[in-house]
Amino acid sequence: MASRTQELREANAGLLHEMHERQQAEEALLQANKLAMLGQMSAKISHEISQPLTALRALATNSRAFLKQEKWHRVDENLNTIADIVVRMSNITRQLKTFSGKTKKQSVQYRVVWLNQAMQNAKTLLQDRFDHDGVILVLPDVACQVQGDSTQLEQVFVNLFSNALDALRQVPQKNITVVVEDSPQKPRIVVRVKDTGPGISAEMQEHLFEPFYTNKPTGEGLGLGLVICASIVREHGGQLRAESNEAGAEFIFDLERANELPSGGCVNV
């Protein structure tokens, strides 16, 4: 009897030791996951605010020059743009806080968004780069309304335009064209962002939407832009995909049409 009791005690001690080791392993794994998430969040924040900060610096520099030239209306325009950018940056950080669980997550209430305004806002953020690189951006000649979040859709266009600008650095023809396809028979609008760059290699196609994958030099890209775009489009009920040929690269995604306009989601401008 005493021998049996001793065996049970040893077995129980062994189980407790195994449970303790398993608990330690789970805690270590949880901590590793937290650190990985922290790294991803830091990278995402850095990526999302880098373009607006660049735009703010350019606008501030231009405003100083306009002040010396007493071009008050240009200074006023720049200050208004700066205020708009700050609001968008605030919205971005609010969304990241919600994502990280620091604020109570609420269901996003999508509203009617003028898609062309989202494109124009993205262009404003990158205007300095468009001017410096001599890139021509052609926007559609129709004004479209979609259901969505304006800040998130601006993020999509900023990231897609920024990637296209990078791709056009070493080519003579520097064009980015946005095409909107609106069919009354379909509930969703298709958006195509095309560039005249060298296209996408087969290897890049395989990893294009993987986090932290990039072919840019160190310090010039975190490999999160397309991941963020795909996530936002997915949250809007659509899908982002890429195509490539000798004419350049093309990114295609779809959005829900807003039916407040008599002719559907788009009107000629």
Side-chain angles (χ1 to χ4, degrees):
M1 184 67 179
S3 175
R4 178 60 178 165
T5 300
Q6 181 62 28
E7 289 179 357
L8 289 174
R9 286 177 178 172
E10 291 177 355
N12 187 48
L15 286 173
L16 289 174
H17 179 70
E18 183 177 336
M19 289 174 62
H20 180 68
E21 288 186 336
R22 180 176 297 178
Q23 184 179 2
Q24 286 185 321
E26 289 177 351
E27 290 177 353
L29 181 60
L30 179 60
Q31 183 65 19
N33 287 337
K34 286 182 179 179
L35 290 173
M37 180 59 70
L38 178 61
Q40 291 179 356
M41 286 297 299
S42 298
K44 186 170 185 177
I45 292 171
S46 174
H47 186 278
E48 288 305 309
I49 68 174
S50 60
Q51 293 292 354
L53 286 175
T54 300
L56 288 175
R57 181 177 181 179
L59 287 165
T61 300
N62 291 341
S63 295
R64 293 179 65 183
F66 291 144
L67 281 172
K68 292 179 180 179
Q69 300 168 17
E70 297 186 357
K71 295 182 178 180
W72 313 120
H73 69 288
R74 297 300 302 273
V75 175
D76 184 63
E77 289 174 358
N78 281 2
L79 290 175
N80 287 331
T81 303
I82 287 172
D84 290 340
I85 292 173
V86 170
V87 170
R88 288 197 289 275
M89 290 176 68
S90 176
N91 290 336
I92 290 171
T93 55
R94 173 182 52 79
Q95 292 166 0
L96 289 169
K97 285 180 181 179
T98 300
F99 178 76
S100 66
K102 291 182 179 180
T103 60
K104 184 177 180 181
K105 189 172 183 179
Q106 301 176 345
S107 58
V108 177
Q109 297 296 321
Y110 288 156
R111 295 180 171 85
V112 174
V113 176
W114 283 100
L115 195 59
N116 293 60
Q117 187 60 53
M119 299 178 200
Q120 287 288 354
N121 291 342
K123 180 185 178 183
T124 298
L125 288 174
L126 298 168
Q127 191 62 58
D128 191 54
R129 289 192 59 190
F130 279 109
D131 294 340
H132 180 271
D133 296 347
V135 174
I136 298 174
L137 174 63
V138 180
L139 298 180
D141 56 359
V142 292
C144 297
Q145 288 183 329
V146 297
Q147 291 287 348
D149 181 274
S150 59
T151 300
Q152 290 184 341
L153 294 179
E154 287 173 22
Q155 288 177 253
V156 171
F157 285 112
V158 166
N159 287 331
L160 293 181
F161 290 168
S162 179
N163 283 349
L165 285 164
D166 291 338
L168 294 171
R169 286 178 179 173
Q170 305 300 326
V171 298
Q173 186 178 357
K174 301 177 184 292
N175 294 332
I176 301 173
T177 304
V178 182
V179 176
V180 173
E181 298 175 355
D182 179 31
S183 173
Q185 290 77 29
K186 297 181 180 179
R188 301 184 69 83
I189 289 172
V190 176
V191 182
R192 298 175 178 268
V193 180
K194 308 177 182 180
D195 67 59
T196 53
I200 307 169
S201 67
E203 179 184 357
M204 284 185 62
Q205 284 272 19
E206 293 181 8
H207 306 283
L208 205 54
F209 298 102
E210 293 179 7
F212 304 110
Y213 177 81
T214 179
N215 66 337
K216 298 176 185 178
T218 302
E220 292 192 17
L222 294 170
L224 283 175
L226 290 178
V227 176
I228 293 170
C229 290
S231 176
I232 291 174
V233 171
R234 189 162 52 248
E235 290 172 1
H236 281 72
Q239 182 181 13
L240 174 66
R241 58 189 176 89
E243 295 181 359
S244 179
N245 53 45
E246 64 278 359
E250 181 176 2
F251 288 87
I252 307 130
F253 61 95
D254 56 290
L255 298 168
E256 181 183 356
R257 179 195 297 109
N259 293 316
E260 293 196 0
L261 294 175
S263 60
C266 299
V267 295
N268 293 326
V269 294

